[in-house]
Amino acid sequence: MPVQTEKGFLSKLSSKISRYNSESIKTPNEEEKAGFLKAQRLAYQCVTETEKEMREGWTELQTAKRMEEFLRDHGVKAFLHRPFAWFGEHARFDGYKRFTQFHPGKKRLTSHESFILDVSPVVNGYIGDIGYSSSLVPNQELDLGMEYLLKLRKEIPEYFSSSMSASEIWWKIDRDAKENGFDNVHSLYPFAVLGHRVYKVHLPNFSFPLLPVSFASWFSLQGSYEFLTHKVLPELLTPDHEGDKIGLWAIEPHLGRGKTGFKFEEILVVEKDRAYWLDEEVPHVKRERKLQNSI
């Protein structure tokens, strides 16, 4: 089924099903937050260590394989999805007709291109789904994009702690990004998700084989099982989401400008009266802090 047709069908279901209750709609306790923090930090360690090894000419598949090797070497046996690597214009998803086009491929990295790395290890049952944007050499388009995303990062907790619905948050981010000259790339994701809930999963601690090549093939059997049994749509922050905001969300605004795509993804904690990022020591924040201190 073409992407646009499938997206239209899914969007008709989304607003109703998003209101279903979910066991993920709860305030996390300190033990849970510590578990997610450990998983998220390992995920960021994976992408930053892989970045140090990357060289011009590496392929997306080679990079994705290296990230998976790193995580398995650090004891990870389960993933929500296999590692993604998108280089240059591939990180914009322009004109895609099939979900398999989102998968990492044989595209080779050039020195002037930026890239996105995205991994989601499960550590002791906790999902650490992150996205990271960088480049081998300074990239002006990427710098402009990340400057805007870091500004958005400061605003997102305010949106979630306000009376705005999840749908209203999605559309505000979409509108503001376009008014500032950026393209909304996450609108091209399956379900047009801006993010999704994360929660502790209860799965056997061993690796499963991957599914056949399809939309779902980059998701492990664990990930596919979780999405199918955990009521998918209440867990996804879509343009039509009308459900409760309380819980833990992996928020992933993905924007584009020119020939460049960029994103971050990290966990947002949403409680009844406040919202805040799980960690203020993520690489994109530390990079911004370092730049400010050098001025």
Side-chain angles (χ1 to χ4, degrees), residues 2-8 10 86 89-103 170-171 174 178 182-195 215 237-239 252-257 260-261 263:
V3 171
Q4 292 303 321
T5 303
E6 187 162 346
K7 283 171 63 179
L10 294 173
W86 300 303
E89 290 185 66
H90 189 189
R92 289 185 48 93
F93 307 151
D94 289 330
Y96 284 9
K97 303 297 183 184
R98 302 181 308 279
F99 285 126
T100 52
Q101 291 175 286
F102 292 86
H103 294 177
W170 193 103
W171 285 106
D174 174 79
K178 290 174 179 175
F182 296 99
D183 302 316
N184 181 343
V185 179
H186 58 261
S187 67
L188 305 177
Y189 284 19
F191 297 96
V193 296
L194 172 62
F215 154 62
L237 203 170
T238 71
E252 50 182 327
H254 187 162
L255 306 177
R257 188 168 187 167
T260 305
K263 70 178 287 188

Side-chain angles (χ1 to χ4, degrees), residues 31-139:
E31 179 182 349
E32 290 168 328
K33 286 190 285 186
F36 285 108
L37 179 62
K38 181 178 179 180
Q40 179 168 282
R41 286 186 170 174
L42 178 62
Y44 273 121
Q45 182 186 357
C46 171
V47 296
T48 53
E49 291 297 321
T50 300
E51 178 186 24
K52 294 175 184 177
E53 300 179 26
M54 292 172 65
R55 297 291 183 270
E56 187 170 16
W58 273 39
T59 67
E60 293 174 337
L61 280 169
Q62 178 182 0
T63 307
K65 180 181 179 182
R66 181 67 193 100
M67 289 189 287
E68 185 163 340
E69 289 172 348
F70 178 96
L71 291 169
R72 292 194 185 280
D73 288 345
H74 284 74
V76 174
K77 296 183 178 181
F79 302 83
L80 180 62
H81 63 73
R82 297 172 68 185
F84 286 101
W86 300 303
F87 296 167
E89 290 185 66
H90 189 189
R92 289 185 48 93
F93 307 151
D94 289 330
Y96 284 9
K97 303 297 183 184
R98 302 181 308 279
F99 285 126
T100 52
Q101 291 175 286
F102 292 86
H103 294 177
K106 297 180 181 179
K107 178 174 174 52
R108 294 186 180 276
L109 182 63
T110 64
S111 61
H112 67 275
E113 290 179 315
S114 62
F115 54 84
I116 296 174
L117 307 180
D118 190 311
V119 297
S120 64
V122 177
V123 179
N124 298 324
Y126 295 99
I127 298 171
D129 196 0
I130 65 96
Y132 176 74
S133 300
S134 191
S135 57
L136 296 181
V137 299
N139 183 299

Side-chain angles (χ1 to χ4, degrees), residues 10 13-26 160 166-167 191 193 195-199 226-238 240-250:
L10 294 173
L13 295 174
S14 179
S15 62
K16 289 185 178 179
I17 302 179
S18 70
R19 288 173 286 182
Y20 288 1
N21 194 22
S22 165
E23 62 188 49
S24 302
I25 301 173
K26 65 173 187 174
F160 273 85
S167 173
F191 297 96
V193 296
H196 58 86
R197 293 185 186 275
V198 291
Y199 42 84
E226 281 301 316
F227 272 114
L228 290 172
T229 60
H230 216 269
K231 297 180 181 176
V232 178
L233 290 173
E235 314 299 346
L236 306 181
L237 203 170
T238 71
D240 309 295
H241 194 287
E242 298 178 6
D244 201 312
K245 294 180 294 183
I246 290 175
L248 290 162
W249 294 89

